[in-house]
Amino acid sequence: SPQARSKKKSRKHQRFMERRAVLEQKGLLSPHGHLGSQTTESGLEAHAALPKANSTTAPRCDEVPKRVVSLSPSASPDSIARHHSVLLSQGSGSSKRVRTSSLVLRPAKYVAIDCEMVGTGPQGRLSELARCSVVNYEGDVVYDKYVRPELPIVDYRTRWSGITKQHMKNAIPFTAAQVEILKILKDKIVVGHAIHHDFQALKYFHPKDRTRDTSQSPMLKKRAGLPVRANVSLKNLARYLLHKKIQGGCQGHSSVEDAQTAMELYRLVEVQWEKELAHSLPPRPPSPVTDPAADSSQYLDDQYWPTDLMASSL
């Protein structure tokens, strides 16, 4: 009935005014703020949830905080891909906004790797790691060390690897290097060119959905005007798409330069690459971000239950 609706509306307004008074008392809402007749209860509830910036300053009622969604280092691959998809949908019509927003994800999640191998075993036919370089999203070096293979070196392959006997004097053992490198690669999206060779040298398998192999990217090949099924070298992709020369001369390749080049190529088609990957996943909400330091199983133990909660349940 109209009378019942009027009473319900009156009670709703009363609660609204009570919450407003509490917010004004806490300093989260100015009594002289420009609320206007269009202010809603949800708006006040949003203000109630806003923490103070510091002990002396509180957010103004007409300020809308920017929401930045970031992912934890342990976020699952489908969460990462869908995060890209969300950023793309938010930034439709503004590629600059997309690229700026996804910086939340990039610095911690992306690295590029390149390894140089030498020949060991019978006639030097076995390839073993002799140098490994890892760079971040911006191309800065985060790891670059010479590695001493487990077997004696038969062929240094200097023309291609750039490795000489001199480099092995201060090289670290393979097992030590492997531990250091895999620690960097853990939970990362790893970029590389023909990257399976690098993983093979590291005796390691990286999850496929966290791997970006520029030698297998149809987008890069099409952009370079090359057949999609063609085997394209990093040198040629760099020449066609980045207009720079790499791997020149007879002194061998630079694994740092190759890793940086692979990252540059990835960034060239990053938005489209991640968009296609996101669309290939089943449409469902992103997985909840969890604290990797928190192990839910430990809460089954009585010692982790709060004392007051245990007392109240008795």
Side-chain angles (χ1 to χ4, degrees):
S1 66
Q3 187 177 2
R5 284 197 299 271
S6 178
K7 288 183 179 180
K8 185 177 180 181
K9 184 176 181 182
S10 178
R11 286 195 297 270
K12 187 176 180 182
H13 180 71
Q14 187 177 358
R15 289 195 300 271
F16 169 79
M17 295 304 293
E18 288 173 356
R19 280 195 289 270
R20 175 176 174 174
V22 171
L23 291 176
E24 289 177 354
Q25 186 179 359
K26 290 183 178 180
L28 294 175
L29 188 64
S30 172
H32 304 291
H34 302 290
L35 294 174
S37 59
Q38 299 299 321
T39 304
T40 62
E41 285 188 281
S42 60
L44 286 178
E45 289 169 358
H47 281 292
L50 291 176
K52 290 185 178 181
N54 51 52
S55 58
T56 58
T57 307
R60 288 168 45 192
C61 63
D62 59 346
E63 288 181 342
V64 179
K66 293 181 180 179
R67 184 177 179 227
V68 179
V69 181
S70 59
L71 295 179
S72 73
S74 62
S76 63
D78 60 334
S79 295
I80 294 168
R82 290 194 188 90
H83 182 72
H84 265 281
S85 183
V86 169
L87 293 173
L88 287 162
S89 63
Q90 290 176 346
S92 57
S94 175
S95 59
K96 184 178 180 181
R97 180 182 173 185
V98 174
R99 298 189 70 82
T100 302
S101 300
S102 59
L103 281 171
V104 175
L105 186 65
R106 291 172 185 159
K109 296 302 299 185
Y110 289 86
V111 293
I113 189 172
D114 188 75
C115 298
E116 300 298 342
M117 277 72 84
V118 293
T120 64
Q123 291 154 3
R125 291 179 180 176
L126 183 63
S127 292
E128 286 200 57
L129 183 68
R131 182 185 180 185
C132 180
S133 301
V134 181
V135 302
N136 63 15
Y137 183 85
E138 302 299 331
D140 300 320
V141 178
V142 295
Y143 189 91
D144 183 32
K145 290 186 180 181
Y146 290 100
V147 182
R148 185 167 59 253
E150 294 178 300
L151 296 176
I153 299 175
V154 177
D155 185 359
Y156 283 91
R157 303 177 184 174
T158 305
R159 181 178 177 182
W160 298 277
S161 68
I163 306 294
T164 65
K165 188 175 182 178
Q166 188 71 20
H167 292 135
M168 291 296 105
K169 289 184 178 180
N170 296 320
I172 66 172
F174 170 78
T175 51
Q178 185 188 46
V179 170
E180 294 176 348
I181 297 163
L182 298 193
K183 187 176 180 180
I184 296 172
L185 302 187
K186 183 182 179 182
D187 296 325
K188 298 292 195 303
I189 291 178
V190 184
V191 180
H193 193 84
I195 200 170
H196 59 282
H197 292 307
D198 303 305
F199 292 151
Q200 188 175 23
L202 286 166
K203 299 181 180 179
Y204 169 69
F205 173 79
H206 196 70
K208 187 176 180 181
D209 49 9
R210 286 180 179 262
T211 302
R212 307 290 184 268
D213 191 342
T214 54
S215 73
Q216 301 298 317
S217 170
M219 288 166 281
L220 287 171
K221 295 176 185 179
K222 288 179 182 178
R223 193 158 181 160
L226 300 169
V228 173
R229 295 187 179 182
N231 292 322
V232 186
S233 67
L234 182 66
K235 182 177 181 178
N236 284 335
L237 282 178
R239 179 162 60 94
Y240 290 134
L241 299 178
L242 303 176
H243 308 292
K244 73 174 189 178
K245 295 181 180 180
I246 62 171
Q247 302 176 354
C250 299
Q251 295 182 348
H253 302 175
S254 165
S255 51
V256 170
E257 183 181 51
D258 289 355
Q260 289 172 334
T261 301
M263 182 60 83
E264 285 184 68
L265 289 168
Y266 167 75
R267 290 180 60 174
L268 207 59
V269 293
E270 176 190 3
V271 172
Q272 184 183 353
W273 196 331
E274 296 300 335
K275 183 178 180 181
E276 290 188 3
L277 178 62
H279 288 171
S280 68
L281 294 169
R284 66 175 188 264
S287 302
V289 177
T290 57
D291 181 2
D295 182 2
S296 58
S297 63
Q298 68 186 4
Y299 292 104
L300 297 176
D301 195 319
D302 288 343
Q303 64 177 313
Y304 291 101
W305 286 98
T307 307
D308 57 340
L309 180 61
M310 293 179 66
S312 64
S313 62
L314 296 177

